[in-house]
Amino acid sequence: MTDERASEATGGESQRPEDPAADGDSDPTGDEQDDEQFTLADFHDASQEAGRPVLTAAALSRALDITQERARKELEFLADREAVQRLAVETDPVVWYPSELEDLTDRERVVVFPKRREIIVDRPDQFTRAQLAQFAHLADGNSEQGYRYVVRPEDIWQAPHDSWEALARTMRQALGQRSEGLEEWVRSQWDRAHQFRLTTHEEGYTVLEAKSPEIMGNVARQKLDEEHVHAPISDTEDWVREGSEAAIKRILYEAGYPVQDHRELESGEELPVDLEVRLRDYQRTWVDRFAEAGEGVFVGPPGSGKTVAAMGAMAHVDGETLILVPSRDLARQWADTILEYTSLEPEQIGQYHGGRKEVRPVTIATYQIAGMDRHRSLFDDREWGLVIFDECQHVPSDVYRRSTHLQSKHRLGLSASPIREDDRQQEIFTLVGPPIGTDWEALFEAGFVAEPELEIRYVPWGDDEQGNAYASADGQEKYRIAAKNRGKVDEVRYLLSAHPDSKALVFVDYLEQGKDLSAALDVPFLSGETPHHERRRLLDEFRRNERDLLIVSRVGDEGIDLPTADLAIVASGLGGSRRQGTQRAGRTMRPAGGALVYVLATRGTREEDFARKQLQHLGRKGMTIREQNVERDEGSEADDADETDEKDGNGTSDGDDEIDGSVGDE
């Protein structure tokens, strides 16, 4: 095998066996061979390609494009050195597997694939995961092959290190070895991330600087035009048009060159803020990383306390703050939470939306209002020390994007799920700042956030009429009919009766379905049609345990701050987006344990595939997902064969619950 192949899985130089057969004087297989001896690393390459940890000689020959006889002899060669084991089975004469598999159950193992920029880790400890999170993306945390990390360009561009040497040290600590191939690529990405920066000229205007005349001429001046810059100042400097900074950062980011923002922005009037709650260790780490970068996006599951961490950022900045939220309900909730957890007084906090028009040292405004020309000048005229973008996954949309033109010394985004179905999530980080977060599974393991039990339940049709309508429908109409399956009414009723002591939220995507469930269960239906004062009354009653059940439309996904529940039933809606699945499952993800999430999908329809697909990313974040076929006789309330046991949960929080919000009713 070649040096390149042998070093691929080990991340370093190829490991030649200490054997006379390896010195080129003899040929252990009897066939013509490459200069380099077959190694265990080659076996790992082939097993990765085959997608299983054991191989037959035939599978190895296909993976490495060698004869089967050659493959058999290579395997025997490794077996003689106890690197692999052989096992006879009925379907194949012999299968082979690495000897080290026998003790993988009690030790951490890291395998690096430099060409694919992937890292597979079996049983990683907390230190390894923390180090990996600084330069790699957890692509799959629920795989049979272990934790799968991918090193992407943006992970290197946003790595929290001041120098290449510090980043290289973190990599070597995480991998337990030096991977020259991976390090070479990472170094190239580190260099790309330091080619451009925005600075403030002594006369007050903004300058785009390049590290060399070549990079300025071949990249920036090819991508930017008079809409973005006035004129060159030198071979490596351009005079930037006021207000085009965000566009320049986005364009160069998309070209593969993130821009370092070193502008001397005004921080506005000082505003001392004391945080009156103790931050958890990981929240303190978030705030410290934000303080180093001056910008960022706090990414973590619902219940991880992103809002309280944002108040920690406010306390660090000690400057006037503008908070942008999707709805007026969230503006009110933010105001209440700031009063509860900080030293600020009511007269220092203002709300600016359809119901109130107050601009104060801390102002909470809706994205829609902040983007309107007739209101925007009020925010432009004030020098903000910090702008916070709540539910910032919406920032790339045309409606919200205008709010990112507001300039401030510091920018902070919050999101449980920075996922967009239009694949524009990269724009979130160019418009607001780099992601700062903690791996979900680490929070589950540490007990800061309780992992809900999530089960997809496949429900039969409630009547033949809807089943026949589905069979004759096309396109999106098929999904709509399946989502509104009347059989789900009986299933919701059944699940509520199976958990009589739970505080429950039932989610629907369609007003008609919500109204039908409301009538069938004699329970209020909270939707976009519900007046604001009525919403507030119903939600407050739920929080005070005066109600134990609400039916909620899509407005509850992000547009309002829903109280914590210990039972969530998603009757329809997971066909919309992965973010929607995260938000709905997240309504039970709080420090109190025992939470259950049931997702209902009509059996044998496209809704089955939608439900599996939209929940896959939750599985990759460490959540356990089960599947269950619903089988009951018509009109019967008998248990399923494998019905889930009832769980207890008090639905309470520890005082720093997440404020979740997105597109609301303005």
Side-chain angles (χ1 to χ4, degrees):
M1 301 296 127
T2 63
D3 285 345
E4 184 176 79
R5 184 204 291 276
S7 65
E8 172 70 3
T10 63
E13 296 180 357
S14 59
Q15 304 299 310
R16 297 176 65 100
E18 299 294 333
D19 187 271
D23 65 4
D25 294 334
S26 61
D27 182 355
T29 67
D31 293 341
E32 184 179 347
Q33 295 206 66
D34 295 341
D35 291 338
E36 186 64 47
Q37 184 63 58
F38 184 79
T39 69
L40 182 59
D42 297 308
F43 185 97
H44 284 310
D45 273 351
S47 66
Q48 284 290 321
E49 185 171 329
R52 57 179 184 168
V54 298
L55 293 174
T56 63
L60 182 65
S61 71
R62 288 192 298 272
L64 301 184
D65 194 24
I66 59 178
T67 67
Q68 188 166 334
E69 177 64 14
R70 163 84 181 280
R72 183 182 61 78
K73 291 182 178 180
E74 296 283 23
L75 290 167
E76 289 175 349
F77 178 82
L78 289 181
D80 289 343
R81 283 144 187 81
E82 299 183 349
V84 301
Q85 301 284 332
R86 52 168 66 85
L87 176 69
V89 294
E90 291 183 3
T91 55
D92 285 297
V94 179
V95 295
W96 307 77
Y97 62 92
S99 301
E100 60 192 9
L101 284 179
E102 295 180 345
D103 63 356
L104 280 182
T105 56
D106 57 3
R107 69 181 178 90
E108 177 183 279
R109 175 171 174 267
V110 180
V111 181
V112 183
F113 297 91
K115 284 186 178 178
R116 299 203 300 269
R117 299 192 293 277
E118 287 189 4
I119 303 163
I120 307 297
V121 191
D122 287 312
R123 300 188 176 275
D125 61 27
Q126 199 65 38
F127 174 80
T128 300
R129 283 164 54 177
Q131 297 298 87
L132 285 167
Q134 296 184 53
F135 66 90
H137 168 68
L138 179 61
D140 193 347
N142 201 30
S143 167
E144 293 180 359
Q145 297 178 340
Y147 288 66
R148 184 172 70 90
Y149 288 85
V150 178
V151 186
R152 307 168 301 178
E154 57 265 35
D155 300 316
I156 306 307
W157 299 345
Q158 298 150 4
H161 295 81
D162 295 328
S163 66
W164 157 247
E165 289 73 21
L167 174 56
R169 185 166 54 251
T170 296
M171 290 179 61
R172 293 164 194 169
Q173 289 174 341
L175 305 180
Q177 59 183 294
R178 181 171 182 171
S179 172
E180 292 185 359
L182 182 60
E183 283 192 14
E184 181 180 350
W185 180 84
V186 169
R187 178 62 187 265
S188 71
Q189 294 302 318
W190 174 269
D191 289 342
R192 289 176 80 93
H194 294 81
Q195 294 297 319
F196 291 102
R197 66 176 190 159
L198 290 171
T199 62
T200 302
H201 192 272
E202 61 183 13
E203 295 183 10
Y205 56 84
T206 300
V207 174
L208 175 66
E209 292 183 359
K211 204 165 186 178
S212 69
E214 291 75 21
I215 200 73
M216 176 62 86
N218 294 333
V219 179
R221 289 174 182 163
Q222 296 295 321
K223 298 289 184 181
L224 306 176
D225 54 32
E226 62 273 9
E227 180 184 347
H228 308 108
V229 294
H230 287 290
I233 301 173
S234 70
D235 289 345
T236 59
E237 297 172 306
D238 277 359
W239 177 12
V240 173
R241 287 189 180 275
E242 185 177 356
S244 66
E245 294 88 353
I248 289 173
K249 290 166 71 175
R250 185 180 69 256
I251 291 168
L252 293 180
Y253 186 99
E254 291 170 352
Y257 291 89
V259 178
Q260 303 290 311
D261 196 340
H262 294 166
R263 288 176 292 164
E264 297 174 3
L265 295 172
E266 296 294 333
S267 58
E269 297 294 326
E270 287 190 6
L271 181 67
V273 179
D274 293 327
L275 192 62
E276 298 181 347
V277 64
R278 183 177 178 275
L279 294 178
R280 296 166 178 165
D281 289 344
Y282 68 85
Q283 291 171 320
R284 172 52 57 194
T285 299
W286 291 358
V287 174
D288 289 345
R289 288 182 60 182
F290 163 79
E292 290 174 9
E295 60 183 13
V297 177
F298 289 167
V299 180
S304 57
K306 295 185 294 296
T307 302
V308 170
M311 294 175 196
M314 290 172 60
H316 165 75
V317 171
D318 271 348
E320 296 193 345
T321 300
L322 174 64
I323 302 167
L324 299 176
V325 298
S327 71
R328 67 175 73 175
D329 289 311
L330 281 175
R332 177 185 60 81
Q333 186 66 26
W334 263 94
D336 292 345
T337 307
I338 291 171
L339 284 173
E340 182 176 358
Y341 294 125
T342 74
S343 59
L344 295 173
E345 299 295 331
E347 61 271 15
Q348 295 174 294
I349 303 169
Q351 298 181 49
Y352 201 102
H353 48 67
R356 299 168 65 173
K357 299 288 190 298
E358 305 158 343
V359 178
R360 293 179 180 170
V362 172
T363 299
I364 308 155
T366 57
Y367 284 103
Q368 295 93 328
I369 289 285
M372 293 180 180
D373 290 335
R374 66 178 183 273
H375 300 291
R376 185 177 159 192
S377 61
L378 292 171
F379 305 115
D380 275 335
D381 291 343
R382 200 168 191 125
E383 293 177 347
W384 303 103
L386 172 65
V387 176
I388 297 175
F389 301 85
D390 193 12
E391 295 298 339
C392 66
Q393 65 270 12
H394 298 291
V395 161
S397 69
D398 294 337
V399 173
Y400 293 108
R401 193 187 198 94
R402 297 186 68 187
S403 64
T404 64
H405 296 165
L406 294 166
Q407 296 301 304
S408 67
K409 187 173 182 65
H410 303 284
R411 301 155 78 84
L412 175 65
L414 308 179
S415 181
S417 48
I419 302 168
R420 292 185 59 87
E421 303 307 310
D422 58 7
D423 292 326
R424 293 170 68 184
Q425 52 262 30
Q426 282 191 349
E427 294 186 31
I428 299 168
F429 307 126
T430 63
L431 294 169
V432 180
I436 299 170
T438 299
D439 146 5
W440 286 39
E441 192 166 354
L443 296 181
F444 294 153
E445 290 178 357
F448 290 122
V449 179
E451 176 186 354
E453 296 183 38
L454 199 153
E455 180 172 292
I456 307 174
R457 296 177 66 83
Y458 302 113
V459 181
W461 288 107
D463 55 58
D464 292 338
E465 178 185 354
Q466 280 190 310
N468 293 335
Y470 177 87
S472 59
D474 295 316
Q476 188 64 20
E477 183 66 9
K478 276 186 175 290
Y479 176 75
R480 188 187 65 81
I481 295 171
K484 295 167 66 174
N485 173 13
R486 285 187 283 271
K488 293 181 180 180
V489 176
D490 290 337
E491 184 62 17
V492 170
R493 187 182 283 118
Y494 169 78
L495 291 172
L496 292 173
S497 67
H499 305 286
D501 298 325
S502 295
K503 290 183 65 176
L505 295 171
V506 179
F507 294 96
V508 297
D509 238 23
Y510 297 94
L511 291 177
E512 180 185 344
Q513 184 184 32
K515 291 172 181 176
D516 288 346
L517 276 167
S518 176
L521 302 174
D522 191 23
V523 172
F525 174 39
L526 195 156
S527 72
E529 297 178 349
T530 309
H532 285 276
H533 69 276
E534 181 70 3
R535 286 189 202 175
R536 184 179 304 183
R537 181 182 68 81
L538 292 172
L539 293 172
D540 286 345
E541 289 176 355
F542 193 94
R543 289 187 183 93
R544 295 194 300 264
N545 295 322
E546 295 170 8
R547 287 188 179 277
D548 58 10
L549 176 61
L550 284 175
I551 301 166
V552 185
S553 76
R554 185 178 289 191
V555 72
D557 291 336
E558 301 170 323
I560 56 178
D561 179 50
L562 282 178
T564 302
D566 45 29
L567 173 64
I569 302 173
V570 182
S572 63
L574 283 183
S577 70
R578 291 167 289 171
R579 186 179 69 247
Q580 191 175 39
T582 302
Q583 294 289 353
R584 292 184 170 182
R587 295 306 176 185
T588 64
M589 287 164 61
R590 298 295 188 246
L596 299 167
V597 180
Y598 292 108
V599 176
L600 308 185
T602 301
R603 190 165 64 229
T605 71
R606 291 173 58 192
E607 197 177 32
E608 273 197 17
D609 297 330
F610 275 124
R612 288 194 185 99
K613 178 182 177 183
Q614 306 298 25
L615 294 177
Q616 277 177 354
H617 76 286
L618 292 178
R620 289 194 290 269
K621 292 177 181 294
M623 289 180 60
T624 302
I625 300 172
R626 298 192 305 271
E627 299 180 41
Q628 174 71 42
N629 273 319
V630 174
E631 297 290 354
R632 285 196 299 272
D633 295 333
E634 188 175 352
S636 169
E637 292 296 330
D639 288 348
D640 289 335
D642 299 310
E643 189 54 69
T644 305
D645 291 336
E646 181 179 347
K647 301 288 181 184
D648 257 338
N650 58 24
T652 60
S653 74
D654 66 350
D656 63 345
D657 275 357
E658 178 65 16
I659 298 178
D660 293 312
S662 186
V663 181
D665 306 314
E666 194 50 50

